[in-house]
Amino acid sequence: MTQPNVATNFTELVKQAEGLWVAARYAEAEQLLTAAIEAAIGAADVEAEAQLRVARATTYKYRNASTRAFADVERVLALSGTSTGVAERARTLALSLSYELRLFDVVERLAGERIPDLRFLAISQFRSGRHDAGERTYARIIALAERRGDQVTALRSRCERAMWRVTPTFNGGVHDENVVRAALAEFLRCDGELAAIDTDAARATRASLETNRAVVLHAAGHIDEAWAAVQRAIVYADASGIPAERGTTRKLAAVLLLARGLRGDAAALDAAAQFVDEMFPFLLQSETAAGLAEAALIAARIDEARGNTRSDAAAYASAVAWFEKADRWFRSARRETRSPTTERTDATQIAGAGSAAVVAVRAIRILLKHLIEPTAAFDWTERAKARALSELVGMGPLAPPAGVAAGLLANEARAIAQLAAAATHDGVWPAHAALERAWEELEGDPAAGAYVAVRRGTAMSYPEVQALLADEDARLRLHSADAQLVVVEFVILGDQLVVFGARSDWAEPAVAVISGTYAVLAQAITAMTQAPIDDLPAAIAALVADPQVRACVTPILDWTAPGDVVCIIGAGLLHAVPFHAIPAGKVSLMERNPIFYAPSVTTLRACCQRRLPDGTADVSAVFSNPTQDLPAATREGAAVAAMLGVAAVEGAQATRDHALGALARSTIVHVASHAVFDVADPLESAMELADGAVTARDVLASPGGRLRLVTLSACESGMHTVRAGDELLGLTRAVLYAGAASVLVTLWSVEDEATDVLMRAFYDRWLNRGEPKVLALAGAQRDVIAAGYSAPDEWAPFALIGDWL
């Protein structure tokens, strides 16, 4: 491409880009504007750079690349010497992007006294629960608009305010009839005034008014009146010619018709499908990736309902295809909402994972119940689980693939370091773009395909799981000649619990449905996790004896032979269940099959890729009894340190900085201390050190290393909260992110002497006898039982998570 002469024609370049937008040729517009920005920077033309960056940010917004757009407008706002016009356009765009990214604090910072600014501010205040502030801001907007004679804006703002007043009253399906009546009366008054104004803006406002009226009427149970309002909204939106209004009205029509269809109106479902066909061309011009995902989810629900009405396999297949589109857009939205800090990125991704999990669960239900496709259902199960964790773990330390060009790996390493150091969106986007380019280059080498998939956190398909298990079987048979590695993965479908089994020699996964309901099972698990310390032994014994809990083990017994190693991937509250302690005939499951755990097979793959090369010398660190009130921890630390060939760091010397430094520099870290699990804020869960706590949040914020094993020998170190998308929050998550291939944690309060026996036996078997970690732990648990600690609460608290070898 010829380098543009930005000194004289940057306005013309922006017009060219606008023409490309109309033709939806966004990649070409981006290329044109990027070259122009580079020329403007070279010519030190600040005004040209600013105007071109605003245009490129708009291009990115059209492409649903919100974070990239935000980086450009942040740069414009930071430039000095730009004209008032371009600065105002940049701020308006920044407000829009902040709102889309739910960065309401940024909206507060950027909002000025202009009506567009105040509108973003008012909506942000209502959406973040600050309703009184939202009311005041809308009052300012209305007063400003009326003072300027802008009656359409004043009327639109009055309607929006009425809509937001109603929204809080619908929480939990309950509405305040007085508030609803007041809103409907306001809509009626505003519509009467708008009818006298013959402009496109007035018609668009009437479309918005009727859309709001339809939402209120539908939520209040007035279905027929809501449908009449939607029909009027479509007429006004089409008359306005504005794509966003035309798409939104058809989307609402599809939702209302879906509601009718779910009550048995088959014709309404066909009409809804027609509106889907109409709405998407408009939404593709105006919606964000998250908005497109939500629209695809509506389309999928419509086709799912059509299948239910007619027992139509084609409709079910169409629903799954829409779920695929929704999942793709949710993933795009998650990539584009990277924030400058690890913690904020993590929170944003977990929030998005909840919506993606809804998509996955519905797809799994259709595939298992109607289309009978266990392999596809298994693949969706992997997509539903621990997606944010898979992405975070993938960004940690990994062994590079053999034979790949060192330069490509160096480019990737630089981009990862740049991304980790970024403190603003302006820093995140260039680093993220460089990382994407590095990954694309690496994908050109066949040897690096699996490595890049781990980096991206891409969910594994069943054939990929088979290949992983075949590789792991070969390693396992070096230690146990006839054993296989079997994955057992649970998924919750409404109140039903389904379990998948995967083995390298199975062409498709096995599927079993657990008898009873998840709700009953959850009650039994909750009773154990909330039991007072004195009642814990009885609560654990009751849990492992519960018939429905024991039913969860039945598929494992059917799918494995004694001695096979089992990786259990829980779901919901099942993550807290000590499966290894559940009876399997006359013995515990652990005594029949060595057990370890993982959040997902995708996360397991990343943990396995963290293995250090054979012959790598270990660097070990042991911290014991930092609070000086655990004499058994002192003995345990001394014994473990002796086996590792180091001196234990004890008492007052076991500080926060020392422990965090060990996570960055060591290959084996053992901590014997108190732990605290924080239910209200799981990232405040912590290990107690001599000078204070090391929280999960501290670990996430620290540089990671390459760790073969981290052992957290403390009460409740393995407890976590399960959030939307089956994401686990707690110390385990943080340590996996910090670079650990395996984590050995406790599920409940531990008995000191039993822990001492188990730790000595585990490290002896792993380090001195060369047993894989999963076999070493099973053997150590048998040793604890033989030493007289036969109750499950005594020998079963420890669980291995991540790499088994």
mmCIF file of all heavy atoms in Angstrom, residues 622-628 647-659 689-691:
data_model
loop_
_atom_site.group_PDB
_atom_site.id
_atom_site.type_symbol
_atom_site.label_atom_id
_atom_site.label_comp_id
_atom_site.label_asym_id
_atom_site.label_seq_id
_atom_site.Cartn_x
_atom_site.Cartn_y
_atom_site.Cartn_z
ATOM 1 N N VAL A 622 10.965 -25.035 51.487
ATOM 2 C CA VAL A 622 10.031 -25.553 52.489
ATOM 3 C C VAL A 622 9.823 -24.480 53.551
ATOM 4 O O VAL A 622 10.790 -23.940 54.088
ATOM 5 C CB VAL A 622 10.566 -26.844 53.143
ATOM 6 C CG1 VAL A 622 9.618 -27.319 54.241
ATOM 7 C CG2 VAL A 622 10.779 -27.936 52.094
ATOM 8 N N PHE A 623 8.549 -24.180 53.838
ATOM 9 C CA PHE A 623 8.197 -23.198 54.861
ATOM 10 C C PHE A 623 7.357 -23.909 55.918
ATOM 11 O O PHE A 623 6.366 -24.572 55.586
ATOM 12 C CB PHE A 623 7.403 -22.042 54.250
ATOM 13 C CG PHE A 623 8.154 -21.301 53.183
ATOM 14 C CD1 PHE A 623 8.106 -21.721 51.866
ATOM 15 C CD2 PHE A 623 8.931 -20.204 53.497
ATOM 16 C CE1 PHE A 623 8.808 -21.054 50.875
ATOM 17 C CE2 PHE A 623 9.647 -19.534 52.518
ATOM 18 C CZ PHE A 623 9.591 -19.958 51.200
ATOM 19 N N SER A 624 7.741 -23.776 57.166
ATOM 20 C CA SER A 624 7.019 -24.520 58.204
ATOM 21 C C SER A 624 6.763 -23.663 59.430
ATOM 22 O O SER A 624 7.619 -22.879 59.862
ATOM 23 C CB SER A 624 7.790 -25.776 58.602
ATOM 24 O OG SER A 624 9.009 -25.459 59.212
ATOM 25 N N ASN A 625 5.548 -23.812 59.956
ATOM 26 C CA ASN A 625 5.111 -23.212 61.221
ATOM 27 C C ASN A 625 5.494 -21.735 61.348
ATOM 28 O O ASN A 625 6.114 -21.327 62.340
ATOM 29 C CB ASN A 625 5.711 -23.996 62.393
ATOM 30 C CG ASN A 625 5.016 -23.662 63.708
ATOM 31 O OD1 ASN A 625 3.950 -23.053 63.729
ATOM 32 N ND2 ASN A 625 5.640 -24.055 64.805
ATOM 33 N N PRO A 626 5.141 -20.914 60.353
ATOM 34 C CA PRO A 626 5.526 -19.492 60.444
ATOM 35 C C PRO A 626 4.876 -18.770 61.611
ATOM 36 O O PRO A 626 5.426 -17.787 62.117
ATOM 37 C CB PRO A 626 5.055 -18.916 59.098
ATOM 38 C CG PRO A 626 4.045 -19.874 58.586
ATOM 39 C CD PRO A 626 4.430 -21.216 59.093
ATOM 40 N N THR A 627 3.715 -19.243 62.064
ATOM 41 C CA THR A 627 3.033 -18.592 63.190
ATOM 42 C C THR A 627 3.456 -19.159 64.535
ATOM 43 O O THR A 627 2.977 -18.717 65.587
ATOM 44 C CB THR A 627 1.511 -18.737 63.027
ATOM 45 O OG1 THR A 627 1.197 -20.121 62.824
ATOM 46 C CG2 THR A 627 1.025 -17.931 61.835
ATOM 47 N N GLN A 628 4.336 -20.186 64.514
ATOM 48 C CA GLN A 628 4.956 -20.759 65.709
ATOM 49 C C GLN A 628 3.943 -21.309 66.711
ATOM 50 O O GLN A 628 4.164 -21.260 67.924
ATOM 51 C CB GLN A 628 5.862 -19.713 66.383
ATOM 52 C CG GLN A 628 6.956 -19.190 65.449
ATOM 53 C CD GLN A 628 7.910 -18.225 66.119
ATOM 54 O OE1 GLN A 628 8.375 -18.480 67.225
ATOM 55 N NE2 GLN A 628 8.221 -17.131 65.436
ATOM 56 N N ALA A 647 17.248 -26.817 53.783
ATOM 57 C CA ALA A 647 16.873 -26.474 55.158
ATOM 58 C C ALA A 647 15.496 -25.830 55.142
ATOM 59 O O ALA A 647 15.207 -24.985 54.294
ATOM 60 C CB ALA A 647 17.899 -25.513 55.763
ATOM 61 N N ALA A 648 14.640 -26.218 56.062
ATOM 62 C CA ALA A 648 13.310 -25.620 56.145
ATOM 63 C C ALA A 648 13.418 -24.176 56.633
ATOM 64 O O ALA A 648 14.249 -23.847 57.481
ATOM 65 C CB ALA A 648 12.429 -26.423 57.087
ATOM 66 N N VAL A 649 12.602 -23.312 56.080
ATOM 67 C CA VAL A 649 12.498 -21.930 56.541
ATOM 68 C C VAL A 649 11.397 -21.903 57.594
ATOM 69 O O VAL A 649 10.224 -22.107 57.277
ATOM 70 C CB VAL A 649 12.171 -20.978 55.381
ATOM 71 C CG1 VAL A 649 12.103 -19.534 55.891
ATOM 72 C CG2 VAL A 649 13.194 -21.120 54.265
ATOM 73 N N GLU A 650 11.761 -21.660 58.848
ATOM 74 C CA GLU A 650 10.825 -21.843 59.951
ATOM 75 C C GLU A 650 10.512 -20.530 60.647
ATOM 76 O O GLU A 650 11.290 -19.571 60.602
ATOM 77 C CB GLU A 650 11.407 -22.829 60.976
ATOM 78 C CG GLU A 650 11.683 -24.210 60.407
ATOM 79 C CD GLU A 650 12.316 -25.126 61.449
ATOM 80 O OE1 GLU A 650 12.578 -24.654 62.582
ATOM 81 O OE2 GLU A 650 12.554 -26.296 61.139
ATOM 82 N N GLY A 651 9.360 -20.529 61.324
ATOM 83 C CA GLY A 651 8.999 -19.443 62.229
ATOM 84 C C GLY A 651 9.070 -18.076 61.589
ATOM 85 O O GLY A 651 8.575 -17.843 60.482
ATOM 86 N N ALA A 652 9.722 -17.137 62.282
ATOM 87 C CA ALA A 652 9.749 -15.739 61.857
ATOM 88 C C ALA A 652 10.455 -15.534 60.524
ATOM 89 O O ALA A 652 10.272 -14.500 59.875
ATOM 90 C CB ALA A 652 10.428 -14.895 62.940
ATOM 91 N N GLN A 653 11.269 -16.496 60.089
ATOM 92 C CA GLN A 653 11.973 -16.360 58.811
ATOM 93 C C GLN A 653 11.066 -16.647 57.618
ATOM 94 O O GLN A 653 11.376 -16.283 56.480
ATOM 95 C CB GLN A 653 13.176 -17.318 58.771
ATOM 96 C CG GLN A 653 14.175 -17.110 59.891
ATOM 97 C CD GLN A 653 14.690 -15.684 59.925
ATOM 98 O OE1 GLN A 653 15.104 -15.154 58.889
ATOM 99 N NE2 GLN A 653 14.656 -15.071 61.101
ATOM 100 N N ALA A 654 9.934 -17.297 57.867
ATOM 101 C CA ALA A 654 9.021 -17.677 56.783
ATOM 102 C C ALA A 654 8.098 -16.502 56.464
ATOM 103 O O ALA A 654 6.958 -16.426 56.899
ATOM 104 C CB ALA A 654 8.206 -18.902 57.186
ATOM 105 N N THR A 655 8.605 -15.558 55.690
ATOM 106 C CA THR A 655 7.888 -14.310 55.416
ATOM 107 C C THR A 655 7.149 -14.371 54.085
ATOM 108 O O THR A 655 7.373 -15.251 53.244
ATOM 109 C CB THR A 655 8.867 -13.137 55.384
ATOM 110 O OG1 THR A 655 9.797 -13.353 54.308
ATOM 111 C CG2 THR A 655 9.613 -13.011 56.709
ATOM 112 N N ARG A 656 6.307 -13.378 53.883
ATOM 113 C CA ARG A 656 5.548 -13.255 52.630
ATOM 114 C C ARG A 656 6.478 -13.142 51.423
ATOM 115 O O ARG A 656 6.319 -13.856 50.423
ATOM 116 C CB ARG A 656 4.650 -12.010 52.691
ATOM 117 C CG ARG A 656 3.406 -12.131 53.541
ATOM 118 C CD ARG A 656 2.722 -10.779 53.731
ATOM 119 N NE ARG A 656 2.826 -9.920 52.570
ATOM 120 C CZ ARG A 656 2.008 -9.964 51.506
ATOM 121 N NH1 ARG A 656 1.004 -10.813 51.492
ATOM 122 N NH2 ARG A 656 2.184 -9.151 50.481
ATOM 123 N N ASP A 657 7.443 -12.229 51.482
ATOM 124 C CA ASP A 657 8.345 -12.028 50.340
ATOM 125 C C ASP A 657 9.121 -13.290 50.018
ATOM 126 O O ASP A 657 9.340 -13.620 48.844
ATOM 127 C CB ASP A 657 9.316 -10.879 50.632
ATOM 128 C CG ASP A 657 8.625 -9.513 50.585
ATOM 129 O OD1 ASP A 657 7.485 -9.447 50.083
ATOM 130 O OD2 ASP A 657 9.230 -8.525 51.053
ATOM 131 N N HIS A 658 9.533 -13.992 51.073
ATOM 132 C CA HIS A 658 10.289 -15.230 50.873
ATOM 133 C C HIS A 658 9.430 -16.270 50.155
ATOM 134 O O HIS A 658 9.880 -16.933 49.219
ATOM 135 C CB HIS A 658 10.752 -15.749 52.240
ATOM 136 C CG HIS A 658 11.952 -16.647 52.147
ATOM 137 N ND1 HIS A 658 12.811 -16.845 53.201
ATOM 138 C CD2 HIS A 658 12.435 -17.415 51.142
ATOM 139 C CE1 HIS A 658 13.759 -17.687 52.842
ATOM 140 N NE2 HIS A 658 13.543 -18.060 51.597
ATOM 141 N N ALA A 659 8.180 -16.399 50.571
ATOM 142 C CA ALA A 659 7.289 -17.397 49.965
ATOM 143 C C ALA A 659 6.946 -17.040 48.519
ATOM 144 O O ALA A 659 6.978 -17.899 47.624
ATOM 145 C CB ALA A 659 6.020 -17.524 50.797
ATOM 146 N N LEU A 689 1.691 -16.509 56.802
ATOM 147 C CA LEU A 689 3.147 -16.455 56.940
ATOM 148 C C LEU A 689 3.498 -15.631 58.182
ATOM 149 O O LEU A 689 2.619 -15.073 58.832
ATOM 150 C CB LEU A 689 3.772 -15.855 55.686
ATOM 151 C CG LEU A 689 4.043 -16.816 54.500
ATOM 152 C CD1 LEU A 689 4.979 -17.940 54.906
ATOM 153 C CD2 LEU A 689 2.770 -17.378 53.910
ATOM 154 N N ALA A 690 4.779 -15.545 58.474
ATOM 155 C CA ALA A 690 5.196 -14.922 59.730
ATOM 156 C C ALA A 690 4.796 -13.457 59.815
ATOM 157 O O ALA A 690 4.453 -12.962 60.892
ATOM 158 C CB ALA A 690 6.711 -15.068 59.897
ATOM 159 N N ASP A 691 4.851 -12.726 58.692
ATOM 160 C CA ASP A 691 4.566 -11.290 58.719
ATOM 161 C C ASP A 691 3.240 -10.960 58.048
ATOM 162 O O ASP A 691 3.019 -9.834 57.608
ATOM 163 C CB ASP A 691 5.704 -10.509 58.059
ATOM 164 C CG ASP A 691 5.960 -10.959 56.632
ATOM 165 O OD1 ASP A 691 5.459 -12.039 56.241
ATOM 166 O OD2 ASP A 691 6.654 -10.236 55.898
#
